Tab-separated table of all heavy atoms in Angstrom:
chain	number	residue	atom	x	y	z
W	1429	GLU	N	78.001	173.783	11.872
W	1429	GLU	CA	79.047	174.365	11.030
W	1429	GLU	C	79.020	173.772	9.628
W	1429	GLU	O	79.238	174.474	8.634
W	1429	GLU	CB	80.409	174.124	11.661
W	1429	GLU	CG	80.629	174.812	12.988
W	1429	GLU	CD	81.913	174.361	13.642
W	1429	GLU	OE1	82.112	173.145	13.817
W	1429	GLU	OE2	82.735	175.237	13.984
W	1430	ALA	N	78.738	172.474	9.535
W	1430	ALA	CA	78.694	171.812	8.230
W	1430	ALA	C	77.469	172.234	7.426
W	1430	ALA	O	77.542	172.444	6.213
W	1430	ALA	CB	78.705	170.295	8.412
W	1431	ALA	N	76.325	172.385	8.097
W	1431	ALA	CA	75.088	172.715	7.396
W	1431	ALA	C	75.165	174.059	6.696
W	1431	ALA	O	74.426	174.311	5.737
W	1431	ALA	CB	73.906	172.696	8.369
W	1432	ALA	N	76.047	174.941	7.140
W	1432	ALA	CA	76.167	176.266	6.541
W	1432	ALA	C	76.744	176.232	5.133
W	1432	ALA	O	76.631	177.228	4.405
W	1432	ALA	CB	77.051	177.154	7.423
W	1433	MET	N	77.316	175.110	4.696
W	1433	MET	CA	78.189	175.158	3.530
W	1433	MET	C	77.703	174.549	2.220
W	1433	MET	O	78.108	175.029	1.153
W	1433	MET	CB	79.532	174.513	3.901
W	1433	MET	CG	80.272	175.233	5.007
W	1433	MET	SD	81.855	174.446	5.424
W	1433	MET	CE	82.777	174.684	3.907
W	1434	PRO	N	76.919	173.478	2.175
W	1434	PRO	CA	76.756	172.746	0.911
W	1434	PRO	C	76.249	173.553	-0.275
W	1434	PRO	O	76.848	173.508	-1.365
W	1434	PRO	CB	75.783	171.622	1.282
W	1434	PRO	CG	76.039	171.384	2.742
W	1434	PRO	CD	76.308	172.745	3.296
W	1435	LEU	N	75.135	174.266	-0.155
W	1435	LEU	CA	74.583	174.959	-1.319
W	1435	LEU	C	75.556	176.012	-1.837
W	1435	LEU	O	75.798	176.107	-3.050
W	1435	LEU	CB	73.231	175.589	-0.983
W	1435	LEU	CG	72.488	176.231	-2.160
W	1435	LEU	CD1	70.979	176.060	-2.023
W	1435	LEU	CD2	72.831	177.708	-2.318
W	1436	ALA	N	76.111	176.819	-0.946
W	1436	ALA	CA	77.055	177.850	-1.368
W	1436	ALA	C	78.313	177.236	-1.967
W	1436	ALA	O	78.860	177.734	-2.959
W	1436	ALA	CB	77.412	178.747	-0.187
W	1437	THR	N	78.771	176.133	-1.373
W	1437	THR	CA	79.968	175.453	-1.881
W	1437	THR	C	79.737	174.915	-3.289
W	1437	THR	O	80.557	175.136	-4.194
W	1437	THR	CB	80.354	174.296	-0.944
W	1437	THR	OG1	80.714	174.834	0.332
W	1437	THR	CG2	81.513	173.499	-1.508
W	1438	LEU	N	78.627	174.227	-3.483
W	1438	LEU	CA	78.340	173.666	-4.802
W	1438	LEU	C	78.164	174.757	-5.839
W	1438	LEU	O	78.661	174.652	-6.971
W	1438	LEU	CB	77.095	172.786	-4.729
W	1438	LEU	CG	77.256	171.473	-3.968
W	1438	LEU	CD1	75.895	170.855	-3.666
W	1438	LEU	CD2	78.116	170.488	-4.759
W	1439	THR	N	77.454	175.824	-5.485
W	1439	THR	CA	77.237	176.919	-6.426
W	1439	THR	C	78.552	177.572	-6.816
W	1439	THR	O	78.821	177.803	-8.014
W	1439	THR	CB	76.292	177.968	-5.814
W	1439	THR	OG1	75.054	177.348	-5.474
W	1439	THR	CG2	76.032	179.102	-6.791
W	1440	ALA	N	79.380	177.880	-5.834
W	1440	ALA	CA	80.647	178.540	-6.114
W	1440	ALA	C	81.582	177.634	-6.917
W	1440	ALA	O	82.216	178.070	-7.884
W	1440	ALA	CB	81.312	178.961	-4.811
W	1441	TRP	N	81.670	176.368	-6.521
W	1441	TRP	CA	82.546	175.428	-7.221
W	1441	TRP	C	82.096	175.244	-8.671
W	1441	TRP	O	82.919	175.316	-9.597
W	1441	TRP	CB	82.549	174.084	-6.500
W	1441	TRP	CG	83.503	173.072	-7.080
W	1441	TRP	CD1	83.378	172.423	-8.282
W	1441	TRP	CD2	84.719	172.599	-6.487
W	1441	TRP	NE1	84.438	171.566	-8.477
W	1441	TRP	CE2	85.275	171.658	-7.396
W	1441	TRP	CE3	85.375	172.852	-5.285
W	1441	TRP	CZ2	86.465	170.998	-7.124
W	1441	TRP	CZ3	86.557	172.186	-5.020
W	1441	TRP	CH2	87.093	171.269	-5.937
W	1442	GLU	N	80.816	174.995	-8.869
W	1442	GLU	CA	80.325	174.762	-10.226
W	1442	GLU	C	80.528	175.989	-11.104
W	1442	GLU	O	80.875	175.861	-12.287
W	1442	GLU	CB	78.852	174.347	-10.187
W	1442	GLU	CG	78.641	172.960	-9.610
W	1442	GLU	CD	77.182	172.513	-9.600
W	1442	GLU	OE1	76.296	173.343	-9.918
W	1442	GLU	OE2	76.936	171.343	-9.267
W	1443	MET	N	80.300	177.175	-10.563
W	1443	MET	CA	80.513	178.371	-11.369
W	1443	MET	C	81.986	178.550	-11.720
W	1443	MET	O	82.349	178.752	-12.886
W	1443	MET	CB	79.994	179.615	-10.639
W	1443	MET	CG	80.291	180.922	-11.393
W	1443	MET	SD	79.539	180.991	-13.045
W	1443	MET	CE	77.939	181.669	-12.618
W	1444	LEU	N	82.854	178.462	-10.722
W	1444	LEU	CA	84.271	178.709	-10.970
W	1444	LEU	C	84.894	177.673	-11.891
W	1444	LEU	O	85.589	178.015	-12.859
W	1444	LEU	CB	85.031	178.743	-9.644
W	1444	LEU	CG	84.777	179.940	-8.727
W	1444	LEU	CD1	85.465	179.730	-7.389
W	1444	LEU	CD2	85.263	181.232	-9.375
W	1445	PHE	N	84.640	176.394	-11.592
W	1445	PHE	CA	85.398	175.353	-12.273
W	1445	PHE	C	84.650	174.653	-13.402
W	1445	PHE	O	85.266	174.169	-14.355
W	1445	PHE	CB	85.891	174.328	-11.247
W	1445	PHE	CG	86.731	174.948	-10.163
W	1445	PHE	CD1	86.366	174.852	-8.829
W	1445	PHE	CD2	87.876	175.650	-10.470
W	1445	PHE	CE1	87.125	175.438	-7.823
W	1445	PHE	CE2	88.649	176.247	-9.481
W	1445	PHE	CZ	88.270	176.132	-8.145
W	1446	ASP	N	83.317	174.605	-13.345
W	1446	ASP	CA	82.539	173.971	-14.416
W	1446	ASP	C	82.089	174.977	-15.468
W	1446	ASP	O	82.163	174.698	-16.668
W	1446	ASP	CB	81.301	173.261	-13.852
W	1446	ASP	CG	81.652	172.093	-12.964
W	1446	ASP	OD1	82.823	171.685	-12.965
W	1446	ASP	OD2	80.770	171.595	-12.245
W	1447	ARG	N	81.580	176.133	-15.037
W	1447	ARG	CA	81.049	177.112	-15.990
W	1447	ARG	C	82.133	178.055	-16.506
W	1447	ARG	O	82.372	178.148	-17.703
W	1447	ARG	CB	79.915	177.929	-15.357
W	1447	ARG	CG	78.926	177.133	-14.532
W	1447	ARG	CD	78.202	176.044	-15.301
W	1447	ARG	NE	77.328	175.309	-14.392
W	1447	ARG	CZ	77.049	174.026	-14.508
W	1447	ARG	NH1	77.548	173.310	-15.505
W	1447	ARG	NH2	76.240	173.430	-13.639
W	1448	LEU	N	82.790	178.764	-15.598
W	1448	LEU	CA	83.809	179.730	-16.004
W	1448	LEU	C	85.139	179.072	-16.341
W	1448	LEU	O	85.973	179.681	-17.016
W	1448	LEU	CB	84.022	180.765	-14.895
W	1448	LEU	CG	82.822	181.677	-14.605
W	1448	LEU	CD1	83.058	182.480	-13.329
W	1448	LEU	CD2	82.543	182.599	-15.772
W	1449	GLN	N	85.338	177.851	-15.864
W	1449	GLN	CA	86.561	177.093	-16.125
W	1449	GLN	C	87.817	177.916	-15.828
W	1449	GLN	O	88.736	178.018	-16.643
W	1449	GLN	CB	86.567	176.583	-17.570
W	1449	GLN	CG	85.423	175.614	-17.849
W	1449	GLN	CD	85.459	175.022	-19.236
W	1449	GLN	OE1	86.146	175.509	-20.133
W	1449	GLN	NE2	84.718	173.946	-19.431
W	1450	VAL	N	87.837	178.511	-14.631
W	1450	VAL	CA	88.995	179.315	-14.265
W	1450	VAL	C	90.220	178.411	-14.147
W	1450	VAL	O	90.125	177.267	-13.690
W	1450	VAL	CB	88.762	180.078	-12.949
W	1450	VAL	CG1	87.589	181.050	-13.086
W	1450	VAL	CG2	88.542	179.133	-11.785
W	1451	PRO	N	91.369	178.908	-14.551
W	1451	PRO	CA	92.586	178.085	-14.467
W	1451	PRO	C	93.035	177.922	-13.024
W	1451	PRO	O	92.847	178.819	-12.200
W	1451	PRO	CB	93.599	178.891	-15.279
W	1451	PRO	CG	93.120	180.317	-15.174
W	1451	PRO	CD	91.626	180.235	-15.133
W	1452	ARG	N	93.625	176.782	-12.723
W	1452	ARG	CA	94.099	176.531	-11.362
W	1452	ARG	C	95.479	177.166	-11.128
W	1452	ARG	O	95.754	177.643	-10.024
W	1452	ARG	CB	94.189	175.024	-11.100
W	1452	ARG	CG	92.871	174.274	-11.154
W	1452	ARG	CD	91.922	174.696	-10.055
W	1452	ARG	NE	90.738	173.848	-10.011
W	1452	ARG	CZ	90.541	172.878	-9.137
W	1452	ARG	NH1	91.455	172.630	-8.222
W	1452	ARG	NH2	89.433	172.163	-9.158
W	1453	ALA	N	96.351	177.153	-12.155
W	1453	ALA	CA	97.731	177.580	-11.953
W	1453	ALA	C	98.052	178.933	-12.575
W	1453	ALA	O	98.931	179.646	-12.097
W	1453	ALA	CB	98.686	176.521	-12.512
W	1454	ALA	N	97.353	179.325	-13.627
W	1454	ALA	CA	97.682	180.569	-14.327
W	1454	ALA	C	97.265	181.786	-13.513
W	1454	ALA	O	96.249	181.774	-12.817
W	1454	ALA	CB	96.997	180.591	-15.692
W	1455	ALA	N	98.057	182.858	-13.614
W	1455	ALA	CA	97.728	184.102	-12.939
W	1455	ALA	C	96.568	184.781	-13.659
W	1455	ALA	O	96.283	184.510	-14.823
W	1455	ALA	CB	98.946	185.016	-12.907
W	1456	GLY	N	95.908	185.671	-12.972
W	1456	GLY	CA	94.786	186.393	-13.539
W	1456	GLY	C	94.040	187.091	-12.425
W	1456	GLY	O	94.465	187.094	-11.262
W	1457	SER	N	92.901	187.696	-12.766
W	1457	SER	CA	92.141	188.453	-11.778
W	1457	SER	C	90.684	188.031	-11.805
W	1457	SER	O	90.104	187.789	-12.861
W	1457	SER	CB	92.263	189.955	-12.043
W	1457	SER	OG	91.930	190.251	-13.395
W	1458	LEU	N	90.087	187.951	-10.613
W	1458	LEU	CA	88.688	187.552	-10.447
W	1458	LEU	C	87.984	188.582	-9.587
W	1458	LEU	O	88.429	188.874	-8.472
W	1458	LEU	CB	88.611	186.177	-9.770
W	1458	LEU	CG	87.233	185.743	-9.241
W	1458	LEU	CD1	86.260	185.493	-10.387
W	1458	LEU	CD2	87.365	184.492	-8.375
W	1459	LEU	N	86.877	189.139	-10.091
W	1459	LEU	CA	86.041	190.043	-9.327
W	1459	LEU	C	84.795	189.296	-8.875
W	1459	LEU	O	84.068	188.746	-9.704
W	1459	LEU	CB	85.641	191.252	-10.176
W	1459	LEU	CG	84.602	192.202	-9.556
W	1459	LEU	CD1	85.159	192.865	-8.298
W	1459	LEU	CD2	84.160	193.246	-10.574
W	1460	ILE	N	84.551	189.263	-7.581
W	1460	ILE	CA	83.360	188.620	-7.010
W	1460	ILE	C	82.435	189.708	-6.493
W	1460	ILE	O	82.761	190.407	-5.531
W	1460	ILE	CB	83.737	187.650	-5.873
W	1460	ILE	CG1	84.670	186.559	-6.395
W	1460	ILE	CG2	82.477	187.046	-5.262
W	1460	ILE	CD1	85.263	185.680	-5.303
W	1461	VAL	N	81.286	189.866	-7.138
W	1461	VAL	CA	80.300	190.863	-6.718
W	1461	VAL	C	79.402	190.220	-5.660
W	1461	VAL	O	78.733	189.228	-5.917
W	1461	VAL	CB	79.464	191.352	-7.907
W	1461	VAL	CG1	78.415	192.368	-7.443
W	1461	VAL	CG2	80.365	191.958	-8.979
W	1462	GLY	N	79.395	190.798	-4.453
W	1462	GLY	CA	78.651	190.208	-3.344
W	1462	GLY	C	79.515	189.253	-2.552
W	1462	GLY	O	79.114	188.122	-2.268
W	1463	GLY	N	80.679	189.694	-2.157
W	1463	GLY	CA	81.652	188.798	-1.536
W	1463	GLY	C	81.280	188.305	-0.157
W	1463	GLY	O	81.747	187.250	0.268
W	1464	ALA	N	80.425	189.042	0.565
W	1464	ALA	CA	80.129	188.655	1.944
W	1464	ALA	C	78.961	187.696	2.066
W	1464	ALA	O	78.740	187.130	3.133
W	1464	ALA	CB	79.854	189.897	2.790
W	1465	GLY	N	78.188	187.483	1.002
W	1465	GLY	CA	77.088	186.535	1.045
W	1465	GLY	C	77.594	185.109	1.101
W	1465	GLY	O	78.807	184.853	1.037
W	1466	GLY	N	76.667	184.154	1.209
W	1466	GLY	CA	77.081	182.762	1.327
W	1466	GLY	C	77.904	182.285	0.145
W	1466	GLY	O	78.996	181.732	0.316
W	1467	VAL	N	77.406	182.487	-1.063
W	1467	VAL	CA	78.126	182.024	-2.251
W	1467	VAL	C	79.422	182.800	-2.425
W	1467	VAL	O	80.477	182.228	-2.720
W	1467	VAL	CB	77.234	182.145	-3.503
W	1467	VAL	CG1	78.034	181.808	-4.759
W	1467	VAL	CG2	76.022	181.223	-3.395
W	1468	GLY	N	79.358	184.122	-2.237
W	1468	GLY	CA	80.569	184.914	-2.343
W	1468	GLY	C	81.626	184.478	-1.348
W	1468	GLY	O	82.823	184.423	-1.662
W	1469	SER	N	81.198	184.138	-0.128
W	1469	SER	CA	82.134	183.694	0.910
W	1469	SER	C	82.872	182.424	0.508
W	1469	SER	O	84.069	182.269	0.772
W	1469	SER	CB	81.383	183.464	2.228
W	1469	SER	OG	80.821	184.659	2.718
W	1470	MET	N	82.138	181.495	-0.123
W	1470	MET	CA	82.787	180.261	-0.582
W	1470	MET	C	83.627	180.511	-1.820
W	1470	MET	O	84.710	179.930	-1.972
W	1470	MET	CB	81.740	179.183	-0.849
W	1470	MET	CG	81.159	178.548	0.396
W	1470	MET	SD	82.403	177.923	1.576
W	1470	MET	CE	83.404	176.874	0.514
W	1471	ALA	N	83.156	181.375	-2.727
W	1471	ALA	CA	83.922	181.661	-3.938
W	1471	ALA	C	85.271	182.294	-3.601
W	1471	ALA	O	86.297	181.970	-4.221
W	1471	ALA	CB	83.119	182.573	-4.867
W	1472	ILE	N	85.280	183.184	-2.604
W	1472	ILE	CA	86.539	183.790	-2.182
W	1472	ILE	C	87.515	182.707	-1.732
W	1472	ILE	O	88.682	182.668	-2.156
W	1472	ILE	CB	86.310	184.800	-1.046
W	1472	ILE	CG1	85.610	186.049	-1.568
W	1472	ILE	CG2	87.640	185.181	-0.386
W	1472	ILE	CD1	85.156	186.994	-0.470
W	1473	GLN	N	87.037	181.805	-0.875
W	1473	GLN	CA	87.930	180.771	-0.341
W	1473	GLN	C	88.437	179.829	-1.428
W	1473	GLN	O	89.627	179.514	-1.489
W	1473	GLN	CB	87.202	179.964	0.728
W	1473	GLN	CG	86.866	180.737	1.983
W	1473	GLN	CD	86.392	179.805	3.077
W	1473	GLN	OE1	87.191	179.126	3.731
W	1473	GLN	NE2	85.088	179.761	3.273
W	1474	LEU	N	87.521	179.351	-2.272
W	1474	LEU	CA	87.926	178.400	-3.304
W	1474	LEU	C	88.911	179.026	-4.280
W	1474	LEU	O	89.904	178.394	-4.674
W	1474	LEU	CB	86.693	177.890	-4.057
W	1474	LEU	CG	85.722	177.034	-3.245
W	1474	LEU	CD1	84.473	176.724	-4.067
W	1474	LEU	CD2	86.378	175.730	-2.788
């Protein structure tokens, strides 16, 4: 279960919070293209 997560988790986290710098508290809208793939699955959750 753990092995399924690191690459997708790091990719999604770095994109959302390091590159796109999405706000944590402010409202807004996010479109994730490819939501069912590994990275999309983690991006949805995060």
